[in-house]
Amino acid sequence: MAAPIPSDPLARPEEFPAAFIAAWQTRRGEAIAALFTEDADFVNVTGLWWHGRAAIAKPHDYALKSFFRETTLRAGRTEIRRLGEDVAVVRCRLTLSGQIAPDSSIAGNRQTILTAVLQRGPGGWLAVSAQNTDVVPGKETHVNSGALAAVDYRQR
């Protein structure tokens, strides 16, 4: 039996990372999209930019049922910044393990920083915008020399 999709906004913005991880573990894109407002947007680690709950749900559902089907997310450093009574920015370092690589092997762990802007609505908090950014330790930027590569200019 599939895990239920949360239908209620969060009581506090601090709950967002755990709710995102719980939604991820359901392997259902609708569970992730339920954490967002109807008109929210989401930018993934490769820069794909989705607008609206349905557009957020669809690619997450695909990924969670294919190359992310065996993954686990673990929360690390988390910071909450309140911007008044009804808006908060949530940042959480996530560690992803168990991704299936294109050759069907299990890829190494990777870290991202999930940043979400949450707004308090009538029943609680929902994300209005989020971006997930890959962490590439020791690198400063990316260079495109035919293929995008993380580089560190300090090593010259």
Side-chain angles (χ1 to χ4, degrees):
M1 182 160 125
I5 295 174
S7 58
D8 297 327
L10 304 172
R12 302 174 317 128
E14 290 81 0
E15 297 171 8
F16 186 78
F20 188 89
I21 291 169
W24 186 275
Q25 292 309 125
T26 70
R27 304 292 184 234
R28 297 167 70 198
E30 314 89 73
I32 289 178
L35 299 171
F36 290 80
T37 60
E38 193 60 48
D39 63 346
D41 61 88
F42 190 105
V43 178
N44 83 347
V45 295
T46 64
L48 295 175
W49 191 352
W50 305 306
H51 298 278
R53 253 191 203 150
I56 292 168
K58 184 177 179 180
H60 278 100
D61 197 63
Y62 160 72
L64 288 166
K65 288 178 171 63
S66 58
F67 54 89
F68 286 152
R69 72 180 176 267
E70 302 293 328
T71 56
T72 301
L73 284 179
R74 189 179 76 247
R77 177 180 170 188
T78 301
E79 294 183 359
I80 313 298
R81 182 168 183 182
R82 298 262 186 157
L83 303 175
E85 293 287 317
D86 297 326
V87 178
V89 177
V90 177
R91 282 192 186 89
C92 179
R93 185 179 293 259
L94 296 171
T95 299
L96 175 90
S97 59
Q99 180 176 345
I100 299 169
D103 67 1
S104 298
S105 66
I106 300 299
N109 292 357
R110 54 180 241 257
Q111 290 191 336
T112 67
I113 297 175
L114 177 63
T115 303
V117 178
L118 277 66
Q119 184 174 38
R120 185 187 350 231
W125 295 83
L126 289 171
V128 297
S129 185
Q131 179 163 341
N132 201 11
T133 304
D134 270 319
V135 174
V136 185
K139 302 301 180 185
E140 295 178 297
T141 189
H142 289 94
V143 170
N144 188 349
S145 301
L148 195 60
V151 298
D152 183 357
Y153 288 87
R154 297 169 293 189
Q155 294 179 354
R156 289 196 276 162

